[in-house]
Amino acid sequence: MINGKPHRRIKSSRGIRQGDPISPFIFVLAMNYLSRLLNHLEKRKAIKGVSINENCNFNHLLFAYDILIFVKDEDTSLMNLQMALKLFELASSLKINATKSTISPVNVTEDKVKIIADQWDTSQQDLSISYLGTPLGGNPLTKSFWETTIDKVDKKLHGWRYNQISKGGKLTLINSSLSSTPNYLFSLFKAPICVYKQIENSWRNFRWNGTNTTRTRPLIN
């Protein structure tokens, strides 16, 4: 359709550059068909997604260039989902990259997961993965859940030249750059007190001494 009127088929000769502003719009147009197809299959009970409560049922999430598909480990649902993805490939001329796709099981036996992974020709990955910078799986009340966030803060600190930054510049970096790294996750999950203290100590040591490992006495408490 061009200007609301049917038009002959347009054959593309080249793709768009990475980072092109029109890229997200094209992604939405392409994924809209897949989204409607998955919802249609669930209404027909061809696949079964996830049910949070009576008013919240979903089988996929779309954001940016990623898609998460949720389906029960039933042979019928898996077969219908595989057929739907094949249909999407034929209709859109887009091919799903199996090397960049993973299967993350939840309460599924290892033998069943191995069979599914072999059938789909993709790899298996535990649920402790990150999606849009947010870890999926794990207990946010444990310190191990926050190790990745703490490592990100430490890597930023180690990448800066402490001796060449004034105390005012360090304060600006803490408020503008360092605080944004954990604050997003803090708005989603409640962290243990020890995590808050460890990150705060790193900021304090960087502010007064220039490193996040050596402790010094601050001028103001």
Side-chain angles (χ1 to χ4, degrees):
M1 300 290 289
I2 298 180
N3 295 328
K5 297 180 180 180
H7 197 271
R8 66 178 183 273
R9 186 179 182 87
I10 300 176
K11 184 178 180 180
S12 60
S13 58
R14 65 181 63 182
I16 58 176
R17 295 181 179 180
Q18 185 174 3
D20 194 297
I22 201 175
S23 180
F25 296 99
I26 296 179
F27 175 80
V28 170
L29 290 175
M31 292 299 109
N32 182 49
Y33 169 74
L34 178 60
S35 179
R36 290 188 290 110
L37 177 60
L38 294 176
N39 290 333
H40 174 73
L41 290 176
E42 187 170 17
K43 288 181 180 179
R44 299 290 297 271
K45 297 183 179 180
I47 63 174
K48 293 182 180 179
V50 177
S51 177
I52 304 299
N53 52 49
E54 295 181 355
N55 300 321
C56 183
N57 301 315
F58 59 93
N59 54 54
H60 67 281
L61 293 175
L62 289 167
F63 189 86
Y65 302 100
D66 296 322
I67 178 171
L68 288 176
I69 300 178
F70 305 88
V71 64
K72 290 189 176 181
D73 62 322
E74 298 177 351
D75 294 338
T76 303
S77 294
L78 293 172
M79 182 181 64
N80 290 333
L81 176 60
Q82 197 168 23
M83 292 177 60
L85 295 178
K86 290 292 183 182
L87 180 61
F88 170 73
E89 290 182 355
L90 294 174
S92 63
S93 299
L94 299 175
K95 185 174 178 59
I96 297 175
N97 192 340
T99 59
K100 294 184 178 180
S101 303
T102 59
I103 295 177
S104 299
V106 179
N107 297 329
V108 183
T109 61
E110 293 184 3
D111 294 338
K112 183 66 177 292
V113 174
K114 188 177 184 304
I115 294 174
I116 297 173
D118 292 339
Q119 291 176 348
W120 287 68
D121 192 23
T122 187
S123 59
Q124 173 191 349
Q125 187 175 359
D126 294 334
L127 189 59
S128 54
I129 60 177
S130 295
Y131 178 65
L132 305 177
T134 304
L136 302 180
N139 185 0
L141 296 179
T142 60
K143 186 178 179 180
S144 59
F145 180 87
W146 298 92
E147 288 180 354
T148 303
T149 303
I150 296 174
D151 290 340
K152 287 182 180 180
V153 173
D154 291 339
K155 285 181 180 179
K156 278 192 174 183
L157 290 173
H158 287 301
W160 291 335
R161 298 181 179 180
Y162 310 112
N163 297 331
Q164 299 180 8
I165 305 176
S166 64
K167 284 184 169 55
K170 293 175 184 177
L171 182 60
T172 301
L173 288 174
I174 292 174
N175 293 332
S176 62
S177 181
L178 284 179
S179 60
S180 62
T181 301
N183 281 350
Y184 172 68
L185 289 180
F186 288 157
S187 66
L188 300 175
F189 306 107
K190 183 178 181 180
I193 299 298
C194 61
V195 173
Y196 293 111
K197 289 184 176 180
Q198 183 172 350
I199 294 177
E200 187 180 31
N201 288 337
S202 298
W203 293 354
R204 183 186 297 113
N205 293 333
F206 169 72
R207 170 70 175 87
W208 295 108
N209 186 54
T211 65
N212 63 329
T213 55
T214 305
R215 298 186 61 182
T216 58
R217 186 182 299 276
L219 299 177
I220 301 175
N221 290 325

